[in-house]
Amino acid sequence: MDVSIVILSWNTRDLLASCLRSIAADPQAPPHELIVVDNASEDGSREMVREQFPNVRLLVNPVNLGFGAGNNTAIPVALGRYVLFLNSDTLVHAGALAGLIAYADARPVVGIVGPKLLNDDGSLQYSCRRYPTLGAGFFRNTPLGRLFPNNRFASDYLMQNWPHQEAMDVDWVSGAALMIRREVLDETKGFDEEFYFYCEDLELCWRVNHSGRWKVSYYPHSVVTHSIGRSSDKAPTRMTWEFHRSQYLFYRKHYRATTLFFARPLIPLGIVLRATGQMTRYRVNYWRRRLRKRRKPGGDQQ
């Protein structure tokens, strides 16, 4: 079997169904198996898979294990030469699976490969990136970044000035659609489960790239549409905290030892301040929407 496709889902029933249909509709799909890992959904996702996709192997987690641990539960049962970790909020374009496998087969040094990701409107999603830097932390999704939207720090991090029409070895690719060679998966043991949500893809690619044996590559001739944040948007404040927690874990695991001594306490402080600012903004916007709704005619006046 060429590839095991592992789809992790949490309360994304309709998106999951569309994702599975997109794979089934691909006339070029290579021999594959489909494994859906349900992370304690409460929206009927499990029942939908059993009724509409009886050939899909369904694994059910009794609690939401998060991204890394949830995906890892499928590793022991996956039979493919490759394992494609795929978000439930994706649509796989025809030929994408065959293209990824052909590319990896032609380059045995490639341990991980990611396809081109598109937004719902067809625009490019910056899914291959460079490793995070202090400058990117200051200017990516921050007030400074809004003041200087064309800053080079965020642009370099997102590889915005690089033409995304050619295959290239990169630092890391998005876990929304990440295919890993079985041998590499066995060596790495999958995602680091200390990361609950976010940065698991970055951390796994870091270990693969720094193994001295394998490369991480971007292959734009395989295309997947990705609707960003359909699961995480259900709990934005919690997910914002988890994102920054994961940033700190990645810093502690891979950057701290090479960080200048005097700067070590400043980076965690900056991460906490950044997280606090974003969560405060979410809450303020939430209450603004509530107030506007109450002021509308017929709104809740209690």
Side-chain angles (χ1 to χ4, degrees), residues 273-286:
L273 292 175
R274 190 174 185 269
T276 302
Q278 288 194 9
M279 289 190 293
T280 300
R281 180 160 53 88
Y282 280 134
R283 298 310 297 174
V284 169
N285 290 338
Y286 169 79

Side-chain angles (χ1 to χ4, degrees), residues 147-196:
L147 283 173
F148 303 98
N150 297 318
N151 69 87
R152 70 176 180 86
F153 300 102
S155 178
D156 287 348
Y157 170 67
L158 296 173
M159 300 179 66
Q160 289 178 320
N161 296 323
W162 173 71
H164 287 68
Q165 289 80 34
E166 58 189 67
M168 181 180 180
D169 292 337
V170 296
D171 287 346
W172 66 286
V173 294
S174 169
L178 180 155
M179 192 179 83
I180 183 168
R181 195 179 297 270
R182 182 74 216 200
E183 182 182 355
V184 179
L185 190 59
D186 291 339
E187 289 179 10
T188 59
K189 309 302 180 186
F191 296 103
D192 185 336
E193 296 185 7
E194 190 175 7
F195 295 75
Y196 180 78

Side-chain angles (χ1 to χ4, degrees), residues 255-292:
Y255 282 8
R256 187 178 187 276
T258 58
T259 301
L260 293 174
F261 180 77
F262 70 85
R264 289 180 183 178
L266 299 179
I267 293 176
L269 176 61
I271 291 173
V272 170
L273 292 175
R274 190 174 185 269
T276 302
Q278 288 194 9
M279 289 190 293
T280 300
R281 180 160 53 88
Y282 280 134
R283 298 310 297 174
V284 169
N285 290 338
Y286 169 79
W287 285 110
R288 283 176 176 170
R289 290 193 298 270
R290 288 288 301 271
L291 288 172
R292 283 198 295 267

Side-chain angles (χ1 to χ4, degrees), residues 82-153:
Y82 299 96
V83 175
L84 172 64
F85 294 104
L86 188 67
N87 276 20
S88 59
D89 55 1
T90 58
L91 296 174
V92 179
H93 293 218
L97 298 173
L100 289 173
I101 291 169
Y103 176 76
D105 282 348
R107 293 195 65 208
V109 73
V110 172
I112 289 176
V113 59
K116 177 190 287 186
L117 297 187
L118 301 179
N119 296 307
D120 288 329
D121 62 2
S123 61
L124 178 68
Q125 201 171 105
Y126 293 108
S127 59
C128 60
R129 303 181 180 185
R130 294 187 172 93
Y131 294 129
T133 63
L134 191 60
F138 278 121
F139 286 92
R140 171 83 172 139
N141 294 328
T142 65
L144 274 177
R146 287 188 284 275
L147 283 173
F148 303 98
N150 297 318
N151 69 87
R152 70 176 180 86
F153 300 102

Side-chain angles (χ1 to χ4, degrees), residues 5-6 13 16 33 41 43 46 92 114 178 180 201 204 226 258 285 290 295:
I5 304 169
V6 177
R13 179 189 58 199
L16 173 61
E33 64 176 345
S41 295
D43 66 343
R46 295 186 295 277
V92 179
L178 180 155
I180 183 168
D201 42 11
L204 178 59
H226 176 218
T258 58
N285 290 338
R290 288 288 301 271
R295 290 169 181 166

